[in-house]
Amino acid sequence: KHLKGDLAKYVRFIGKIKVKGKEFPVSIYELFNGDPSDISDLKLKTKEDFERAVRLRDSHDFDAAQLGFKRVLSDFPGDKTTQIYLSRFRKSEK
C-alpha cells in the first residue's frame, strides 16, 4: 500500500477476491519488478488499460472490461493474467 520510490510503478491491481472470514473482498496486486525486463516493460505499457479493465469488470461492466482486456492482449499477447480474464468471459458466454 505504501511502496517507496520506483517500486510502486511495478505494481498492478489484478482484482478483488472474497476471502473466508473477511466481510469485504480483498484487493490483490501483482509485484512485477522481478520479471524479465521485456515483460515488465510490457506490463508497464499496458498497466493503465489493464487496471481500467479490472475495475470495469469489478463494477459489472463486462462488455467494456472485455474490450479493455483485448486491448491489453493486442499490445502484450503473452500476458497470462489477461488471458485468464478473457477465458473467464468466454466460459461465461457458453
Side-chain angles (χ1 to χ4, degrees):
K1 193 173 187 178
H2 295 81
L3 297 173
K4 295 182 180 182
D6 282 346
L7 191 57
K9 76 178 183 180
Y10 293 101
V11 175
R12 70 177 181 173
F13 175 68
I14 55 175
K16 292 185 177 195
I17 61 168
K18 293 180 182 179
V19 176
K20 186 175 181 176
K22 297 284 184 182
E23 184 177 349
F24 300 105
V26 175
S27 295
I28 304 295
Y29 296 87
E30 174 187 21
L31 178 61
F32 58 91
N33 68 322
D35 287 352
S37 61
D38 58 331
I39 301 296
S40 62
D41 288 347
L42 286 166
K43 287 182 181 178
L44 283 170
K45 177 182 176 184
T46 59
K47 179 180 173 177
E48 188 175 310
D49 285 336
F50 178 87
E51 290 181 340
R52 184 180 308 112
V54 170
R55 285 186 169 79
L56 286 165
R57 184 201 67 98
D58 288 349
S59 65
H60 304 286
D61 190 348
F62 300 118
D63 291 337
Q66 192 169 10
L67 288 173
F69 286 124
K70 286 179 179 178
R71 187 170 31 257
V72 170
L73 213 56
S74 72
D75 287 335
F76 181 15
D79 189 335
K80 300 291 187 200
T81 307
T82 299
Q83 292 171 4
I84 290 169
Y85 271 121
L86 285 172
S87 73
R88 290 180 180 166
F89 284 120
R90 285 189 293 272
K91 286 179 184 175
S92 69
E93 290 173 351
K94 292 182 180 180

